[in-house]
Amino acid sequence: MKEAWLKQPNGPWVERFWPNPELERDGGARPMAVDLGRHLLLHEPPLLKSRRQLTLSQARELWRNRVKAGWKRVEPQW
């Protein structure tokens, strides 16, 4: 999985899914990071609320659940 972004329906939150080789490996699984953030004001840095460390399979499952809940794929937000 390469970097990909989802936006919350009718809300401000965006999630960035990205491979992060700096994270600890979990039994050889490909480490992924998922950042949750949002824009506060135009031309201001985004508010990064959290970062989660997941395996690739966990990240794919989270992606599927978000899409089922109505989240939409978007272009990079920051």
Side-chain angles (χ1 to χ4, degrees):
M1 178 182 242
K2 296 180 181 179
E3 181 178 283
W5 299 73
L6 288 174
K7 183 168 186 329
Q8 179 186 32
N10 304 316
W13 297 107
V14 175
E15 284 186 326
R16 173 188 176 213
F17 292 71
W18 56 287
N20 188 345
E22 294 179 9
L23 297 175
E24 292 181 24
R25 295 202 176 266
D26 181 14
R30 288 180 50 195
M32 300 290 294
V34 179
D35 296 338
L36 175 69
R38 62 181 262 187
H39 286 288
L40 296 176
L41 299 171
L42 190 61
H43 306 295
E44 292 292 324
L47 168 67
L48 296 179
K49 183 80 170 169
S50 66
R51 174 173 290 161
R52 291 191 276 175
Q53 176 181 336
L54 303 172
T55 64
L56 179 58
S57 62
Q58 290 170 328
R60 286 180 173 158
E61 181 67 23
L62 177 60
W63 180 277
R64 282 191 292 271
N65 290 339
R66 292 288 194 238
V67 170
K68 285 180 185 176
W71 290 56
K72 300 292 183 192
R73 188 170 188 158
V74 294
E75 294 298 317
Q77 301 292 298
W78 58 80

